[in-house]
Amino acid sequence: MTQASHHIGTATGTARTDQLLEMYRRMRRIRRFEERASDLYKATEIPGFLHLSIGQEASAVGACWPLGARDGITSTHRGHGHVLAKGLDSASMMAELMGKDAGTCHGRGGSMHIADPGLGIYGANGIVGAGLPIAAGVATAAKLRAAGDVVVAFFGDGAVAQGMFHEAVNLAAVWDLPVVFLCENNHYSEFSPESEQHRAPLSARAAGYGIEYQHVDGNDVLAVAQTMTGLVARLRAGAGPVLLEAETYRWHGHYEGDPERYRPAEEVAAAKERDPLLIARRQLDAAAADAVDEEIDKEIEAAIDWARSLPEPAPETLHDYVSAPRLPIPEPTPLPADAEIFRSMDAVRLALEHELTADPTVFVAGIDVGAGGNVFGLTRGLAQAFPGRVRDTPISESAIVGTAVGAAMAGMKPVVEIMYMDFIGVCLDMLLNQAAKLRFMTGGRASMPLVVRTQFGAGRSSGSQHSQSLEALLAHIPGLTVVMPSNPADTYGLLRAAIQDPNPVVFVENRLQYGLKGPKPPADHLIPLGKAKVIREGTDITLVSWSRMVQDALAAAELLAGEGISVEVIDLRTIAPLDRETVLASLAKTNRLVIAHEAVRDFGVGAELSAMAVDEGFWHLDAPVTRVAPPSVPAPYAPSLEHVWLPSRDTIADTVRRIAAV
């Protein structure tokens, strides 16, 4: 079912009646879908969790009434009504709820995660408030394209307590984004009444953000549609974000099976007297409304029969949709000895400049990356060279990464910066539950070509909150690619490859290497993601490392060569996906393996490499697999402590000597 935009501001007489009948049809579709989903859940034909929007149909239909196919919405865990109102067909949705392969998301998303970006549906979401930063990203894409598209971000009153609400609304206000933040205020945050969750009304919050606020009766579909028609027209003309509160009520509990001990039955009964369908039906011809009821009943029953007949996803498809296929990139030829010399910081800027020039869908955003040129000066001059496409953000890490997620789904290639790697904890949901999972949960419908640049580096007394190497945490998240270059040329080639890649990439630079000098590659230089490289041949022992520690590994290998120990050094370059083949091939040659890294030793990437060696490479081992890494202690501030905490060329060399002697 294709959704077309509608306008009711000037409709009168028969036209208005026809429009109300169509609104009634859409509300009736939502109501009957939800009623039958409840029945099927009780009969165990729908697994998992189920959150229904019975009683809230008018806000969904009225909000989507003026939207066209290119306009976007984001939704919540209670999102069936929103996506049906935006135009998703009930049959594929029912199949999705039943976990069938022909479902909207091939049975990977279920009730809480339905999406179809092709219809402007950028996802229902199981994380409260998570759709709001994503909506800001979709709206950013709309603003950059300047085609007049708008976005509606549905959320409940409970999401107002989330930091993501604040970050998204504030960013949208600062950037004047074309988004309506639509709060369906049903007066309960899960089991808690609104009065126990908030002290400030939404009108005051909107004033605090410097944006417009409006209120509407969320049970009156005409009122919602009229309000939204006016707001959408203004946003298309260039107005900034609006906070709209639609007051409504959910008839069922927070989830199906909720015992609902937190609200009296009399309150629910009183709310049902304001049934959105009855309010609309009173203004319609009874026979016409009855005909719609019969039509929708048949549609939903047909959808159920069809969904029941379908198979579940085949077991052999378990790995489908985790990542998009990568275009093959050949390993570049070695750089000439007389190549021009440049620095890692130059590599970052030149790679960004190259991709911004080559691809108009690329944009850069982050804290002080625009006018300030980044805290390390890496992006200096880019904002002037690419107006509007190198954007300063508030200090709002969740909004920054959420904007990247939404913009990527909307067809852009965002490159966003998190100033220090330590700060990924502030926005981890947007990496863990959004960027990494949305392609999988949507059955491949969501595109996710985004890059999150960040940096780390111990050794200069930056302390425990500015020194952490957290690649193991990120590598443990299926769907994320994690890249850590060790030299200027690789920084350039890997960053360009990351920006061109169809998957979410976390690109981790070491700030102590920004001044590192090395040969400058040609402008078309690319390095394949997911491929390690043997950067020094050897026969006695394999030494694996990544990022800045590679330089210490090379120095240790050079030192040991003078002692007659031949060390083969491997630079992983990409942490996830891990290039197991290159490491195992080297181990088959040398029969010994040492791993050196800057992250603390316990539960790290070195542990994964060790497990791989013991499992897949066991029969090649002539000595214990050993790791050289900091102890499980936060990075110290005092130089005397940091010196003994951080591995060096000498500690690596000592370990290699010991293993080589076994």
Side-chain angles (χ1 to χ4, degrees):
M1 178 173 60
T2 301
Q3 198 79 9
S5 62
H6 299 272
H7 304 282
I8 65 171
T10 59
T12 58
T14 302
R16 184 180 180 89
T17 301
D18 290 346
Q19 290 185 340
L20 181 58
L21 186 63
E22 177 58 28
M23 292 180 195
Y24 178 78
R25 176 179 287 105
R26 297 180 188 185
M27 290 195 295
R28 177 67 182 174
R29 179 178 289 115
I30 296 169
R31 175 69 58 88
R32 193 61 186 151
F33 184 96
E34 298 287 62
E35 289 173 343
R36 294 296 283 124
S38 179
D39 296 339
L40 294 167
Y41 184 81
K42 291 170 186 172
T44 70
E45 291 190 67
I46 291 177
F49 299 108
L50 192 67
H51 306 79
L52 302 182
S53 60
I54 295 175
Q56 300 183 184
E57 296 88 354
S59 56
V61 170
C64 292
W65 185 255
L67 302 183
R70 290 191 326 195
D71 298 316
I73 67 167
T74 61
S75 182
T76 71
H77 55 274
R78 199 179 312 285
H80 303 160
H82 305 144
V83 298
L84 284 169
K86 186 60 171 70
L88 196 61
D89 69 286
S90 55
S92 69
M93 265 189 67
M94 191 63 76
E96 183 62 29
L97 265 61
M98 291 185 180
K100 301 303 180 73
D101 187 57
T104 307
C105 302
H106 296 290
R108 267 67 172 185
S111 171
M112 289 190 285
H113 309 112
I114 294 173
D116 186 349
L119 293 175
I121 299 168
Y122 293 95
N125 211 297
I127 308 299
V128 173
L132 301 174
I134 293 172
V138 179
T140 299
K143 182 159 186 172
L144 288 172
R145 291 194 177 106
D149 303 335
V150 302
V151 182
V152 178
F154 290 98
F155 64 101
D157 49 288
V160 177
Q162 282 280 350
M164 287 183 285
F165 167 83
H166 160 73
E167 292 193 21
V169 176
N170 187 59
L171 177 71
V174 170
W175 283 3
D176 290 316
L177 296 179
V179 56
V180 177
F181 293 101
L182 198 159
C183 177
E184 292 180 303
N185 188 352
N186 60 33
H187 303 285
Y188 283 93
S189 304
E190 297 191 357
F191 311 148
S192 301
E194 177 188 17
S195 60
E196 295 180 3
Q197 296 287 302
H198 314 290
R199 288 294 179 263
L202 282 173
S203 57
R205 295 177 184 274
Y209 294 114
I211 66 174
E212 182 182 353
Y213 166 85
Q214 289 199 30
H215 179 277
V216 68
D217 180 355
N219 289 345
D220 185 339
V221 69
L222 275 174
V224 178
Q226 287 174 331
T227 299
M228 282 295 296
T229 297
L231 292 177
V232 167
R234 285 156 52 195
L235 263 63
R236 293 199 199 286
V242 178
L243 182 55
L244 175 62
E245 183 175 13
E247 199 163 350
T248 183
Y249 197 87
R250 59 169 161 85
W251 293 9
H252 284 218
H254 170 57
Y255 58 89
E256 290 301 279
D258 176 1
E260 295 189 73
R261 297 189 182 95
Y262 49 89
R263 62 183 185 180
E266 301 80 34
E267 178 183 299
V268 179
K272 290 183 179 181
E273 294 178 6
R274 291 279 298 159
D275 183 344
L277 274 71
L278 289 180
I279 292 173
R281 192 181 176 99
R282 293 187 192 114
Q283 304 174 65
L284 294 169
D285 175 74
D290 288 344
V292 167
D293 291 350
E294 183 179 355
E295 169 198 335
I296 294 300
D297 287 352
K298 290 179 179 177
E299 175 191 317
I300 300 303
E301 291 311 308
I304 293 170
D305 291 343
W306 179 73
R308 279 174 171 157
S309 72
L310 300 170
E312 294 182 356
E316 58 267 24
T317 67
L318 173 64
H319 297 275
D320 291 358
Y321 311 118
V322 176
S323 297
R326 293 194 155 100
L327 292 175
I329 296 175
E331 187 69 36
T333 57
L335 300 178
D338 60 348
E340 179 185 348
I341 300 300
F342 77 150
R343 302 166 297 176
S344 290
M345 62 188 302
D346 304 321
V348 172
R349 182 181 56 79
L350 289 171
L352 293 174
E353 183 178 53
H354 189 289
E355 295 307 307
L356 283 163
T357 301
D359 189 344
T361 67
V362 174
F363 73 91
V364 175
I367 302 162
D368 294 327
V369 301
N374 165 279
V375 68
F376 299 103
L378 305 181
T379 58
R380 193 168 294 148
L382 293 181
Q384 293 75 26
F386 303 94
R389 293 173 59 203
V390 180
R391 307 176 70 87
D392 283 324
T393 68
I395 303 175
S396 303
E397 283 82 4
S398 289
I400 292 168
V401 181
T403 294
V405 171
M409 280 199 287
M412 305 298 284
K413 291 183 179 177
V415 183
V416 297
E417 178 179 306
I418 298 301
M419 189 178 288
Y420 285 79
M421 193 180 191
D422 314 71
F423 303 167
I424 63 168
V426 182
C427 58
L428 187 58
D429 175 73
M430 285 295 149
L431 289 170
L432 170 69
N433 288 316
Q434 311 303 327
K437 292 187 173 66
L438 281 174
R439 186 176 195 278
F440 179 79
M441 291 194 304
T442 62
R445 288 181 182 269
S447 178
M448 203 56 60
L450 66 88
V451 175
V452 177
R453 281 187 50 253
T454 190
Q455 53 80 27
F456 79 109
R460 298 285 175 85
S461 292
S462 296
S464 300
Q465 295 180 345
H466 286 74
S467 303
Q468 296 169 91
S469 186
L470 300 172
E471 65 271 18
L473 186 155
L474 297 170
H476 194 68
I477 301 172
L480 282 188
T481 296
V482 183
V483 177
M484 300 181 74
S486 68
N487 61 69
D490 283 6
T491 298
Y492 179 85
L494 287 168
L495 181 52
R496 285 195 59 227
I499 297 170
Q500 295 179 21
D501 198 72
N503 298 292
V505 179
V506 182
F507 192 88
V508 187
E509 301 146 17
N510 190 298
R511 64 177 172 273
L512 273 66
Q513 286 195 305
Y514 282 144
L516 180 68
K517 296 179 180 179
K520 181 180 179 181
D524 62 354
H525 187 68
L526 287 170
I527 292 178
L529 302 182
K531 281 294 296 178
K533 184 178 181 181
V534 175
I535 57 174
R536 181 186 176 106
E537 299 279 352
T539 56
D540 295 333
I541 195 163
T542 297
L543 176 57
V544 179
S545 191
W546 53 93
S547 192
R548 187 173 70 94
M549 192 85 28
V550 167
Q551 305 303 325
D552 289 320
L554 286 170
E558 183 66 25
L559 177 67
L560 293 166
E563 303 173 17
I565 301 173
S566 176
V567 180
E568 181 149 297
V569 180
I570 295 177
D571 181 356
L572 282 186
R573 304 193 298 195
T574 299
I575 308 304
L578 184 63
D579 183 356
R580 301 170 184 273
E581 292 76 13
T582 296
V583 177
L584 288 170
S586 179
L587 176 60
K589 179 170 67 170
T590 68
N591 308 116
R592 287 170 171 79
L593 178 62
V594 171
I595 305 134
H597 55 76
E598 191 166 320
V600 295
R601 185 183 64 180
D602 293 5
F603 308 103
V605 177
E608 178 63 26
L609 287 164
S610 300
M612 179 190 73
V614 172
D615 181 7
E616 301 171 56
F618 178 79
W619 300 108
H620 298 302
L621 286 172
D622 289 342
V625 179
T626 307
R627 291 165 289 164
V628 185
S632 190
V633 173
Y637 169 75
S640 60
L641 297 177
E642 191 176 38
H643 176 74
V644 298
W645 177 83
L646 189 65
S648 66
R649 179 200 70 167
D650 294 334
T651 53
I652 294 171
D654 288 343
T655 302
V656 172
R657 286 190 192 97
R658 176 168 60 84
I659 298 304
V662 173

